[in-house]
Amino acid sequence: LETLPNNTWCRCQHEKEQESQENGRLVADSVAEKGQKSCSGPGQVSNGYPSTSPQSPRDGAGAGADRGSTPGAFRTLVVQQTSLDPPRETWSKKMDFLLSVIGYAVDLGNVWRFPYICYQNGGGAFLLPYLLMAVFGGVPLFYMELALGQFHRSGCISIWKHICPIFKGIGFAICIIALYIAFYYNTIMAWALYYLLSSFRATLPWTTCTNQWNTPNCTHYLSTDLNVSWTNYSISPAEEFYIRQVLQVHLSPGLHQLGWVSWQLALCLLFIFIVVYFSIWKGVKTSGKVVWVTATFPYLVLLILLIRGATLPGAWRGVVFYLKPDWSKLLTTTVWLDAAAQIFFSLGPGFGVLLAFASYNPFHNNCYKDALVTSSVNCLTSFLSGFVIFTVLGYMAEMRQQRVETVAKDAGPSLLFIIYAEAIANMPAATFFAIIFFLMIIMLGLDSTFAGLEGVITAMLDEFPHLLARRREWFVLGLVCVCYLGALSTLTYGGAFVVKLFEEYATGPAVITVVFLEVIAVSWFYGTTRFCNDVQLMLGFAPGVFWRVCWVAICPCFLLFIIGSFLAFPPEVRLFDYLYPFWTTVLGYCIGVSSFICVPSYMVYLLVTTKGTFKQRLLKSITPEAPGSSGPQRDTIVITNAV
């Protein structure tokens, strides 16, 4: 029994009893002075616990005040609490969330893709379109997803019933895209682990040409090797180690004949997935602790490598080549397309990860500040990585007596596993630098894998709570096993060809299209005004005009520009000396469409299964469901008797 002053509305928080669906709680007597506790409005009553923010605006249903009683009188309430779902997990600390988001956004692409694209598109001049695309496209999308996830506290599937039910297929498409990414992204970490294990020796194996995998064309050429000449047929030992020993690409003629699975890489990938499983199997409570190491260690290594690279002979050549502005490049469409694609894939909206991570935040967490901080850290990390890479490329150009653009001709993983690995091998203390460098590559990849799989896990657990909520460990185990089995094709002799195919076709165009539909659904169907009111309810202030204009007009145009460019100028895919035939392009687009097809399929399914006339079905399918319409919500409080 609890006594309360008349007409006093007080905020409450509910803790669920173990295993009970209908648990009445008798709260100790207490007298609350009028105005002593923070008031939140009708619909909430005190249950004797400390006054805190509600988990969600939908959490809790209360009773009205006894307005007919005399001033100073007390009300006696018997409170029965009904909760069929366990309370939602939350981050242990705010830094767990920030490090998880930073670790997700800062991935392998920051280390190799941004430096390469920057020098390819005008050096310092590229920073202008990059920053413009970040301000008007990337950061608004980043902010929108954090706010959506935090307000609705749902994964990427179930959240759509609160926004626009007909777009629920977006959530399923995101989960399929995340699986495709898991099929190939972790293989790159397996390569890095192979390099790491090969680094524990006095002489790194990619330094010499006397190994069993080397060919007569292997040439170890530096300026100090006076008796060695570099020809058009020469191959560096680092390149042969990567191609012939790690990947064994020479044993596969192409995608039509992949060959056997490499057992060494299979074991490396198995170890990676074991680490992933035991980092995420218990939820954000465990993964939030792991990221303290995996998200911070790469910055320490980048700082060490930057200092070491700056002291190498010829480092200045790389820095000048990296930042020398070529303003004429800004007149080409390619530069703006590359800037838009880079900032989009770097920040990573649309993969369900930001929705999942933000859903574990307290309701009044300042996600606006989080979006600005984490996106700024991501962009600055990309810029810093450019110095780390190009100081070493300048050193390699000096040692080989070549131009920097000749040394830096390869983009993608080859830049790390061939050029950078060879540069490290020719430094003093090469073993030490090789170990920390490939550890950094693994850490960068692990963060993104944790995040990508957590997005799928959160989505499925929120969509099927009664089936999966108490079986999280088993579900995560099954998901990891599926990802490992799906990755086996990337571990074959021709696995590098599969990785390139997935990277170019399976994820890029599909996820951009999905995010385009997401922005349209939130801004035009759910409504920018309603969304801004939700943000104001959480943060105490509404987004300004700039953010509204970005969400309604600029972001959709930004995404349409990328989609149109992909369709108008399909990339010519080539890896090493293998030019992908036309049928692989068709296969790639089929893989991409296989995920996106979930969106129109669910629209048709919902319209067919909904009752009523077509107009009624359509209106119902674009109308957000009312709180509680889909069953008992979390932390429901029912007043059964009031005197």
Side-chain angles (χ1 to χ4, degrees):
L1 299 178
E2 182 169 1
T3 54
L4 292 173
N6 186 41
N7 296 334
T8 300
W9 305 101
C10 297
R11 183 175 292 138
C12 66
Q13 178 175 344
H14 160 56
E15 291 185 0
K16 181 179 178 296
E17 287 285 327
Q18 291 287 335
E19 303 293 331
S20 68
Q21 296 184 352
E22 209 170 323
N23 52 342
R25 182 188 298 274
L26 295 179
V27 185
D29 292 339
S30 63
V31 179
E33 295 182 1
K34 189 170 185 176
Q36 180 178 355
K37 297 182 181 179
S38 62
C39 296
S40 60
Q44 296 169 325
V45 296
S46 173
N47 63 355
Y49 285 89
S51 176
T52 59
S53 300
Q55 295 286 347
S56 156
R58 299 186 307 276
D59 294 347
D66 184 5
R67 300 187 182 275
S69 57
T70 59
F74 296 110
R75 294 180 295 125
T76 302
L77 302 179
V78 178
V79 179
Q80 173 187 350
Q81 297 174 343
T82 303
S83 181
L84 300 184
D85 298 329
R88 191 170 187 84
E89 189 177 16
T90 56
W91 298 98
S92 298
K93 298 178 181 178
K94 175 65 175 288
M95 280 302 297
D96 293 356
F97 165 71
L98 291 178
L99 288 176
S100 295
V101 174
I102 290 173
Y104 161 67
V106 178
D107 63 353
L108 298 176
N110 294 72
V111 178
W112 81 59
R113 196 170 188 272
F114 177 83
Y116 179 84
I117 288 181
C118 188
Y119 94 77
Q120 190 182 46
N121 291 287
F126 176 75
L127 297 179
L128 176 61
Y130 179 77
L131 291 177
L132 288 176
M133 290 297 179
V135 170
F136 291 100
V139 178
L141 292 172
F142 197 85
Y143 177 25
M144 184 188 76
E145 285 215 351
L146 288 182
L148 284 173
Q150 184 171 303
F151 184 83
H152 295 288
R153 301 182 63 79
S154 300
C156 62
I157 298 178
S158 57
I159 194 174
W160 289 102
K161 66 184 179 184
H162 307 303
I163 300 174
C164 189
I166 200 171
F167 286 99
K168 191 175 182 179
I170 289 177
F172 293 105
I174 288 174
C175 291
I176 295 175
I177 292 172
L179 285 179
Y180 288 156
I181 294 173
F183 289 167
Y184 76 87
Y185 189 82
N186 298 282
T187 301
I188 300 175
M189 284 187 285
W191 300 344
L193 181 58
Y194 191 101
Y195 269 85
L196 177 65
L197 297 176
S198 302
S199 301
F200 288 94
R201 58 186 72 181
T203 302
L204 296 176
W206 57 88
T207 307
T208 63
C209 291
T210 58
N211 304 286
Q212 61 179 3
W213 58 81
N214 292 127
T215 65
N217 291 329
C218 180
T219 305
H220 186 258
Y221 175 68
L222 295 175
S223 59
T224 54
D225 300 326
L226 301 179
N227 298 325
V228 179
S229 60
W230 187 270
T231 68
N232 293 333
Y233 300 100
S234 298
I235 303 176
S236 68
E239 185 174 351
E240 288 202 341
F241 178 79
Y242 177 61
I243 294 177
R244 298 179 63 86
Q245 175 63 11
V246 179
L247 302 182
Q248 303 183 66
V249 173
H250 65 289
L251 299 177
S252 171
L255 279 169
H256 62 282
Q257 189 176 340
L258 295 177
W260 297 99
V261 173
S262 171
W263 66 268
Q264 299 98 325
L265 293 180
L267 290 178
C268 289
L269 186 62
L270 178 62
F271 177 79
I272 293 294
F273 272 117
I274 289 174
V275 173
V276 169
Y277 174 72
F278 285 106
S279 298
I280 65 174
W281 68 322
K282 291 292 186 182
V284 295
K285 296 291 186 183
T286 54
S287 64
K289 297 297 180 289
V290 177
V291 293
W292 281 82
V293 176
T294 57
T296 57
F297 180 77
Y299 286 96
L300 176 62
V301 176
L302 285 175
L303 182 61
I304 294 173
L305 294 176
L306 177 61
I307 295 173
R308 183 68 188 102
T311 59
L312 293 171
W316 63 273
R317 294 178 59 187
V319 173
V320 169
F321 189 79
Y322 173 44
L323 294 180
K324 183 180 178 181
D326 182 2
W327 300 107
S328 63
K329 291 275 190 178
L330 298 182
L331 301 177
T332 62
T333 308
T334 306
V335 174
W336 296 88
L337 172 63
D338 286 346
Q342 174 62 25
I343 193 65
F344 175 82
F345 288 111
S346 183
L347 291 177
F351 292 91
V353 174
L354 301 177
L355 290 172
F357 279 171
S359 71
Y360 299 112
N361 275 334
F363 182 69
H364 292 293
N365 172 67
N366 192 341
C367 58
Y368 171 69
K369 181 180 178 182
D370 295 343
L372 296 181
V373 170
T374 52
S375 56
S376 300
V377 169
N378 175 72
C379 295
L380 290 174
T381 303
S382 298
F383 188 60
L384 173 67
S385 300
F387 287 99
V388 174
I389 296 296
F390 273 90
T391 52
V392 170
L393 292 180
Y395 164 70
M396 287 300 298
E398 184 83 9
M399 292 296 99
R400 286 188 179 182
Q401 296 181 345
Q402 294 177 322
R403 297 169 60 119
V404 177
E405 59 265 33
T406 304
V407 177
K409 62 182 179 180
D410 292 321
S414 300
L415 187 63
L416 303 180
F417 292 112
I418 297 178
I419 304 300
Y420 208 94
E422 184 178 0
I424 287 176
N426 290 284
M427 293 180 188
T431 299
F432 168 74
F433 286 110
I435 291 173
I436 63 170
F437 177 73
F438 291 111
L439 262 180
M440 178 191 73
I441 297 300
I442 294 172
M443 297 290 186
L444 287 171
L446 283 175
D447 289 333
S448 297
T449 298
F450 296 161
L453 294 183
E454 186 59 53
V456 177
I457 294 165
T458 299
M460 298 304 291
L461 264 62
D462 286 345
E463 181 66 13
F464 309 104
H466 302 295
L467 180 63
L468 301 175
R470 298 186 182 180
R471 302 178 179 89
R472 178 187 170 100
E473 293 87 351
W474 290 105
F475 174 69
V476 175
L477 178 61
L479 179 64
V480 169
C481 290
V482 168
C483 293
Y484 182 77
L485 293 175
L488 287 179
S489 62
T490 65
L491 304 176
T492 57
Y493 299 146
F497 302 135
V498 181
V499 170
K500 186 72 173 177
L501 181 72
F502 271 103
E503 185 181 7
E504 291 290 339
Y505 295 109
T507 57
V511 76
I512 295 174
T513 308
V514 162
V515 178
F516 172 73
L517 292 178
E518 179 181 318
V519 173
I520 294 298
V522 174
S523 301
W524 297 3
F525 286 83
Y526 186 69
T528 306
T529 301
R530 182 186 295 180
F531 176 59
C532 291
N533 290 338
D534 294 345
V535 175
Q536 184 171 17
L537 184 63
M538 286 192 301
L539 308 184
F541 59 90
V545 176
F546 168 77
W547 301 104
R548 295 170 184 253
V549 172
C550 284
W551 291 326
V552 171
I554 298 179
C555 285
C557 294
F558 165 82
L559 294 168
L560 268 181
F561 171 64
I562 304 177
I563 296 170
S565 300
F566 268 122
L567 296 177
F569 309 104
E572 182 185 65
V573 184
R574 178 187 295 272
L575 184 64
F576 307 126
D577 295 328
Y578 179 67
L579 179 63
Y580 283 59
F582 176 75
W583 68 267
T584 61
T585 303
V586 177
L587 175 62
Y589 279 116
C590 288
I591 297 174
V593 171
S594 67
S595 58
F596 176 74
I597 198 67
C598 294
V599 180
S601 298
Y602 187 83
M603 289 180 176
V604 173
Y605 165 78
L606 186 63
L607 290 175
V608 169
T609 56
T610 304
K611 297 180 180 180
T613 63
F614 180 78
K615 182 179 180 180
Q616 292 172 335
R617 297 179 186 183
L618 189 60
L619 288 175
K620 187 174 182 180
S621 64
I622 63 174
T623 304
E625 293 183 10
S629 62
S630 58
Q633 299 291 323
R634 292 184 183 87
D635 308 330
T636 304
I637 299 179
V638 183
I639 308 301
T640 56
N641 186 22
V643 180

